[in-house]
Amino acid sequence: MSSPAPAIVAGRPIVRLDHVSKTFSNGTVALKDMTLSIGEGEFVSLLGPSGCGKSTALRIIAGLGDATTGRVEWPTMGHDAHGKVEREIGFVFQEPTLMPWATVFKNVWLPLRLAGISKSAARARVMEAIEMVGLAAFADSYPRELSGGMKMRVSIARALVTRPRVLLMDEPFAALDEITRQKLNDDLLRLWAQFGWTVVFVTHSVFESVYLSTRIVIMAPRPGRVIDELLVDAPAPRGIAFRTSPEYSEMTRRASQSLHSALGASDHL
Ligand SMILES: Nc1ncnc2c1ncn2[C@@H]1O[C@H](COP(=O)(O)OP(=O)(O)OP(=O)(O)O)[C@@H](O)[C@H]1O
């Protein structure tokens, strides 16, 4: 097993996990002692086999679940009147989770509506988000009229409509066909380069993680933990030339090797 590399951070830290562990009530240790600093503007993938705690870590970062021990810090974000950190995040789930009875516009409006912003006041921001994902012509369509890739675009627009600084994505493209997945990979990279978000992206796919990320955090199961980190030092834009380059092959080889160690390091697979 390779030992974890020291944390490599691009910009100033935007989120820090400090010795975070999570044990569920049934005794499963989903995450053990995870320490990770993510810099502003990084594109970090959490890569690992099923059950290694990737989703658990992402949910704890999002505030959708609590750590059993350890802390998550957001050094540059503000606090509300109760002292609770105001996370400027957008979350994209594996399933698009759209409201089938509502149009694309109304689905994307949802986070703003929940924040009390009327349809007319939200219109410009909702349309901006829909345009970002290339669906301007479909604002009045219903989810049943859209392909799987288009539904995922709507889901991404809904995450972007609050103009988050950090985008958290939990295997968003896993259910899509390869061509659609590559197209969405390219669109996501283009938006990331344009808007300068920080992205934390959960994936099983070595190829996807190398293509998208500036850094790959490799995790192993039982207990879920970080075992390695890889920097992907390839310039943007990353198109077909990168996908077919020797550098890409070399990085996928190294990530696969680490994953292999991850599998070898767990006792009960
Ligand atoms: N609510 C829960 N109660 C009990 N155990 C849970 C719960 N949620 C997750 N687990 C367990 O915690 C471990 C980590 O789960 P998690 O979903 O974070 O892994 P993952 O790496 O995201 O897996 P996958 O790639 O399959 O989604 C697994 O063993 C899982 O069964």
Side-chain angles (χ1 to χ4, degrees), residues 5 34 51-52 57 93 123 127 149 161 163 181 208 241 247 254:
M34 183 171 186
C52 70
F93 298 89
R123 178 168 298 281
M127 285 313 297
V161 76
R163 297 181 179 152
R181 185 174 186 156
E208 187 171 60
E247 293 77 16
R254 285 174 55 189

Side-chain angles (χ1 to χ4, degrees), residues 24 26 28 30 49-56 171 204:
F24 285 105
N26 64 0
T28 302
S50 196
C52 70
K54 306 181 294 294
S55 297
T56 301
E171 296 190 56
H204 282 116

